Amino acid sequence: MTHRRIQLGLPLFDGYEAPADAPSKVAGVCQAVLYADLQTGFSVAELLFDGGGKGVVAGKGDPFSPGDWVEAEGRWETDSRFGRQFKASYLRARVPETAEGIARYVASGAIPGIGAKTAERLLQAFGERLPEAIASSPALVAAGLTEERAKALTEHWKMRTRHGRLLSFLYSVGAGPALARRLLDAYGEEAYRILLVDPYRPAREIHGVGFRTADRIALSQGMAKDAPARLRAALVHEMGEIEREGHCAAPRMGLIARVAKELVVREAPVEEELERLLVQGDLVEERLGGRPVIWRTVVRQAEIEVAESLFARVGPTGEEIPDGLVGRTAIALGLPPLDPGQAAAVRLLLAERVSVLTGNPGTGKTSTVSVLLGCLRALDPRVRILLAAPTGRAAKRLTEQTGMEAATIHRLLVWSPETRRFTKGLEDPLACDVIVIDESSMLDLFLLRDLLRALPPSCRIVFVGDVDQLPSVGAGSVLADLIRSKAVPVARLTRIFRQGAGSQIAAVSQRINAGQMPRLKAPKLGSDMWGIWTETPAEAAEAAIRLATERLPEEGFDPLRDLQVLAPGHQGEAGVGALNRALQARLNPPSPERPEITWKDRTFRLGDRVIQTSNSYELDVFNGDIGFVVEVEGTQALSVDFDGRVVRYEGSDLMDLQLAYAITIHKSQGSEFPAVIVLCTTQHFLMLRRNLLYTGISRARRLCALVGQQRAVGIAVRRADVGRTTGLASRLSAMALARDLPRPSPAP
């Protein structure tokens, strides 16, 4: 095969070293692929250069195999670990044109799940006709490939041959094949043109394509920093970021300043484009608390819908509650007599169509709910009751505590992968008379909206939760807004029952919640609340690891089943990432009996404790579900046991799986563990808040160890949460006020 020679930026010959900062081009035949990540397109390979000499090239680009002709543009650098390399801005492989070249490429493993056996079958079936046949899925199926493999092969080949220009362009702006595939799926042959004409369109229309990627593409094409299209895209993007921080809306001037700072532009043109978006209806302006705030239209509509749906249900049930019913029910359930506050709470919950039960850990919310359920069944044996929670672990705990089956809200609503919507809703409501929603502090606005759509108008709703815990991960502050509105009846439990004499977990939680520094002592038998103080975050991490792997197992706690390490954030020595690597090495070290796979920067091993980090309706696992790796298959798949339900992860599914020896305090919401180790260091200074520390400590049932720097604990205790920008409380309050205002007499 004759290769076209290209003019190199610098001559290459044995013994010559190009200046490290001099850009150049290289080309040659691949001798060996030293490393390849098929997901990102990053490769390291040894080339026999056109013109003589060998060298190592590294960068993103086309997949290739030994024998392929590869071209690269970049610069020579000396890596401290790997020596002299050509760092390429892109690696472009010439597409094979002969049957033998195509077969060699297919055999290289460049296409996930397809290798040497498939290549041999294709060569035998088509011979010299392979270059034409590889583009036809039906022909490949006729040759013995499954429909799935035939489709994967033809789509991959189409990407390599017909969309090389798109790929090369994406590599030049730091993107790669994953984005190309999304663009082609959405826009087909128009993908490249759309990217050049309106680079922000994919960010608006395709899930997984972010503003910053689109912005790099736009700027690379010469778009001005203050171009109207860029400012509008940035405003919509920042509204999404603000919602991911939990807010439903943003103060007008704060939004403008934030976008101007992010884009390094003046505020005046940003405000002009904001006005255009308001006129178009993409965003909406409304006054909240006397100041103008900006909403995405869909968020404001969801909040109005939730407020109207809830308020339409608010009011007394009108049901007669016999004297002594609460006490008799508690006795029938084998519970001790309820505290007067609990008994009053049960009567209120029975009397109202929408109500809230709140209280800190240990105040008897579970006993109160159990008695409530017993009273409902006593009043009407045919009553249809649903128990729900936002997470799987919270639902499981509710089942264990009440003896009734509870489910996640997502499972109750039944997700349809085909329509990508919940099947339960206005047209097909849930069959229930009462629903009790535990851990309601975790409810976000959109999940509540979808749930309300699925509840019959006559269904009673009881929200249960601790309003002092962290709010939901998604936008909204539902439980706090319901209480703050004063439009929904609230029963608040204050007396602590859970811990026995001498217990400190609840007492410390209450002190922190009141903004007071906890008084903690060194670990000792008989105490359930320990304080271990260190000088640095690194020392705190090492102390936590020793506790988890040595001291607490000696106290009878299984480090895999009974114990959970919690940290505010992911980064640093005292972050979840480093803690997980260290705990995995000590609690589940490498072994020939424990096969493992590596996905990007994570290694999963048989027996590992893992956590799902986002909702996956396709796999039917949800954010916060914790399980154990029970099978490892090859290098790309594993199976996880989530409380008796085994789920198989393959390829990109692993993106949403992380080790769970340590998890963030946010991820622990809705869960309880026999023993908890909470790290609090200045390494996560920006995240330290009173409700964060309170939530972490209150996850413990039998023992909690607070490990870290006293200064960091003091910062967390002093910092109250600033709250979220939402309108639900105001809307409910306004509705209640309008209902209670005296109506004018009709005109004579």
Side-chain angles (χ1 to χ4, degrees), residues 83-244:
R84 191 157 184 76
Q85 294 184 349
F86 187 84
K87 293 295 179 70
S89 58
Y90 73 89
L91 291 170
R92 182 178 295 154
R94 181 172 295 172
V95 178
E97 298 174 353
T98 66
E100 291 76 10
I102 293 172
R104 186 176 66 244
Y105 177 81
V106 172
S108 71
I111 310 166
I114 297 175
K117 290 183 178 179
T118 300
E120 184 178 351
R121 176 180 295 173
L122 293 175
L123 205 54
Q124 289 176 350
F126 299 108
E128 294 303 316
R129 295 184 297 108
L130 182 55
E132 296 79 35
I134 195 169
S136 169
S137 289
L140 299 183
V141 171
L145 272 67
T146 64
E147 288 189 10
E148 183 180 2
R149 289 195 172 194
K151 183 180 178 183
L153 182 52
T154 54
E155 286 185 353
H156 181 94
W157 196 251
K158 179 179 178 181
M159 179 86 76
R160 283 296 310 275
T161 55
R162 298 172 64 184
H163 301 292
R165 186 170 59 163
L166 173 63
L167 274 172
S168 296
F169 176 68
L170 291 176
Y171 290 139
S172 72
V173 295
L179 176 57
R181 192 166 292 111
R182 287 194 183 101
L183 291 169
L184 292 169
D185 287 345
Y187 304 129
E189 301 297 325
E190 291 290 290
Y192 188 52
R193 185 191 65 80
I194 288 171
L195 208 57
L196 296 181
V197 173
D198 185 1
Y200 297 106
R201 180 176 165 184
R204 296 192 302 269
E205 298 178 348
I206 305 175
H207 177 71
V209 179
F211 167 79
R212 289 183 175 86
T213 298
D215 199 41
R216 286 200 305 272
I217 293 170
L219 293 175
S220 74
Q221 298 304 297
M223 180 174 284
K225 283 190 174 182
D226 60 354
R230 184 175 190 240
L231 302 184
R232 288 195 299 272
L235 282 162
V236 174
H237 165 72
E238 285 301 327
M239 285 302 300
E241 291 296 296
I242 287 165
E243 289 162 25
R244 278 184 278 277

Side-chain angles (χ1 to χ4, degrees), residues 385-450:
I385 303 172
L386 289 180
L387 303 185
T391 68
R393 293 185 68 82
K396 181 185 178 186
R397 188 159 59 90
L398 186 59
T399 298
E400 294 169 347
Q401 292 170 337
T402 63
M404 285 183 61
E405 187 66 30
T408 64
I409 296 172
H410 298 89
R411 289 199 176 100
L412 278 182
L413 298 181
V414 189
W415 179 260
S416 168
E418 292 76 24
T419 62
R420 300 197 62 78
R421 296 174 57 189
F422 290 119
T423 61
K424 293 295 181 180
L426 294 172
E427 296 179 357
D428 182 18
L430 294 164
C432 61
D433 303 308
V434 181
I435 185 167
V436 177
I437 308 164
D438 199 15
E439 297 294 346
S440 293
S441 62
M442 301 174 68
L443 267 180
D444 64 57
L445 178 67
F446 285 99
L447 186 57
L448 178 57
R449 180 202 63 183
D450 292 338

Side-chain angles (χ1 to χ4, degrees), residues 7 163 194 260 284 331 481 524 530 546 647 700 709 727 729 737:
Q7 182 64 42
H163 301 292
I194 288 171
V284 180
I331 293 172
D481 281 352
K524 66 175 182 179
W530 299 351
R546 285 198 304 271
V647 177
Q709 300 160 286
L737 180 62

